[in-house]
Amino acid sequence: MNLKGKNFLKLLDFSPEEINYLINMASTLKLQKKQNIPHRVLQGKSVALIFEKTSTRTRCSFEVACSDLGMTTTYLDPSGSQIGKKESIADTARVLGRLYDGIEYRGYGQEIVEELAKHANVPVWNGLTNEFHPTQILADFLTIKEKLGALSGKKLVYMGDARYNMGNSLMVGCAKMGMHFVACAPKEYFPNEDLVNECLKIANETGAKLEFISNPNLATKNADVIYTDVWVSMGEPDSVWEERIAKLLPYQVNAKLMKNAKKSCVFMHCLPAFHDLGTTIGKQIEQKFNISAMEVTDEVFESEQSIVFDQAENRMHTIKAVMKATLYGE
Ligand code: CP
Ligand code: NVA
């Protein structure tokens, strides 16, 4: 297995063996970190971190992972560069490719990160686009393996708007790894047909099962994992809140729903989550719509079944594996 020089733009570009290889490498790197075994194999290299949308986990994971691998970073914030406004993506890629050994991009359309990769001449990593969030899925799958022992055959139910980056990427990841993926949402919130068809073809080869179900009780029966995400994603206008709340409230992950799944079922969320009134947006939504939690209740979020902070930690170990594999190899 050799991923040196490759981009990491979406899971569709990787085989199940390659995905497994990255997860296993992350697991080794995690152990090394816990045992204080240095792994500065990329000493002296540098990475550019482009964030056209905000971030806590992804940015910090890249920065800590780079530091552990011996690399330096430059953070370009949503307003701190010429990208897109005064300089095209292709020109930006050619400039940064001369200065850096790798480039992370978080932003809008998937076509932007693909364009960046086409011109950069160094590995480009997708830190989230509207369509995909592939480093998140690696972290999620490492976490599932740690908690449930395997990926293949496990039933993962994604509750909520499945048309966006998390629904799409989980569907692709589950198809690749031979899992049972269920998108549970109103019909109009199912992932787009082209992507579903592509994933069905993959599922045919891997033995994965994909289902699209609008009834939450039916969908979550025997689930090993119940997963959800925010109802309104970064970059979407505030005007969509009203429709999302009306359509997705029946899909909120609550204690009753969790009881419907397997006893061993875990709750997952890529975070950040609206589970209480501890955020400005959470408070505004409460005043306007009279709800104190959105995609998940505080009870579930804080429960023993919730493994959201293990997921968050694993962002760093898996991002480190992506950079090590694509810059160093082995
Ligand atoms: N899950 C995730 O990508 O979190 P951030 O937006 O904080 O990076
Ligand atoms: N769907 C969310 C994921 C955040 C990690 C968003 O794009 O805002």
Side-chain angles (χ1 to χ4, degrees):
M1 196 70 66
N2 188 2
L3 301 183
K4 194 171 173 187
K6 266 198 102 164
N7 301 308
F8 190 76
L9 306 180
K10 56 188 183 303
L11 290 179
L12 286 170
D13 302 335
F14 291 83
S15 67
E17 293 73 26
E18 288 171 333
I19 295 170
N20 239 332
Y21 163 79
L22 288 169
I23 294 170
N24 289 339
M25 183 185 279
S27 193
T28 306
L29 288 165
K30 181 171 181 175
L31 206 67
Q32 285 177 347
K33 172 116 177 155
K34 303 271 174 210
Q35 294 175 348
N36 286 319
I37 300 169
H39 40 279
R40 297 172 69 85
V41 293
L42 291 164
Q43 181 89 37
K45 297 206 180 285
S46 349
V47 160
L49 305 174
I50 306 173
F51 280 84
E52 295 206 279
K53 289 176 179 168
T54 51
S55 166
T56 297
R57 276 147 292 274
T58 310
R59 176 190 176 177
C60 297
S61 294
F62 269 98
E63 297 221 15
V64 172
C66 281
S67 163
D68 288 353
L69 290 168
M71 298 195 281
T72 58
T73 55
T74 302
Y75 173 66
L76 296 158
D77 75 18
S79 60
S81 77
Q82 315 285 21
I83 298 166
K85 294 169 282 276
K86 283 173 70 182
E87 195 159 32
S88 68
I89 297 300
D91 291 355
T92 305
R94 286 180 289 180
V95 172
L96 296 181
R98 298 282 185 112
L99 304 179
Y100 294 94
D101 299 285
I103 304 168
E104 179 276 351
Y105 174 84
R106 162 171 289 199
Y108 296 88
Q110 179 71 16
E111 69 283 357
I112 303 174
V113 76
E114 302 273 350
E115 168 90 350
L116 200 62
K118 195 166 138 198
H119 298 281
N121 238 342
V122 295
V124 171
W125 311 297
N126 180 355
L128 177 147
T129 58
N130 293 343
E131 292 84 356
F132 295 115
H133 196 6
T135 62
Q136 178 71 52
I137 308 308
L138 288 184
D140 298 343
F141 284 5
L142 171 61
T143 314
I144 293 172
K145 268 185 119 168
E146 287 172 345
K147 300 289 174 191
L148 305 179
L151 292 173
S152 178
K154 298 291 176 203
K155 177 173 178 179
L156 184 151
V157 183
Y158 179 79
M159 304 289 302
D161 188 345
R163 300 166 300 177
Y164 223 72
N165 42 29
M166 286 312 303
N168 287 345
S169 305
L170 284 166
M171 177 172 67
V172 175
C174 289
K176 290 269 178 187
M177 305 317 284
M179 296 168 70
H180 178 180
F181 172 80
V182 183
C184 180
K187 272 193 178 59
E188 58 276 26
Y189 287 180
F190 287 156
N192 92 58
E193 214 179 304
D194 289 345
L195 188 63
V196 168
N197 287 335
E198 204 170 343
C199 288
L200 284 171
K201 272 192 215 139
I202 299 168
N204 220 6
E205 285 167 22
T206 61
K209 184 171 171 189
L210 309 181
E211 289 187 305
F212 305 89
I213 299 173
S214 293
N215 178 327
N217 284 337
L218 212 66
T220 51
K221 228 179 164 51
N222 278 325
D224 294 292
V225 178
I226 293 181
Y227 200 119
T228 192
D229 180 19
V230 289
W231 289 344
V232 175
S233 285
M234 289 182 280
E236 292 198 283
D238 284 347
S239 56
V240 301
W241 274 112
E242 192 167 353
E243 183 198 301
R244 294 287 162 75
I245 289 171
K247 291 201 169 162
L248 289 174
L249 212 46
Y251 297 88
Q252 182 187 62
V253 181
N254 54 34
K256 189 167 160 252
L257 195 82
M258 290 301 293
K259 280 209 186 82
N260 194 43
K262 274 189 190 158
K263 232 188 158 120
S264 55
C265 180
V266 291
F267 169 71
M268 298 183 79
H269 192 309
C270 53
L271 303 184
F274 290 119
H275 58 94
D276 63 7
L277 300 176
T279 64
T280 317
I281 294 178
K283 284 193 193 103
Q284 285 167 356
I285 295 293
E286 192 226 6
Q287 278 177 3
K288 211 165 161 196
F289 300 98
N290 201 22
I291 49 170
S292 59
M294 285 187 258
E295 70 273 12
V296 56
T297 60
D298 199 45
E299 187 183 5
V300 171
F301 188 89
E302 299 294 353
S303 71
E304 290 273 302
Q305 285 169 290
S306 172
I307 56 170
V308 297
F309 297 108
D310 298 291
Q311 277 177 271
E313 178 191 334
N314 283 341
R315 294 299 308 286
M316 197 283 286
H317 305 298
T318 42
I319 281 172
K320 191 187 284 179
V322 169
M323 291 195 290
K324 186 179 173 212
T326 55
L327 293 180
Y328 181 79
E330 284 170 48

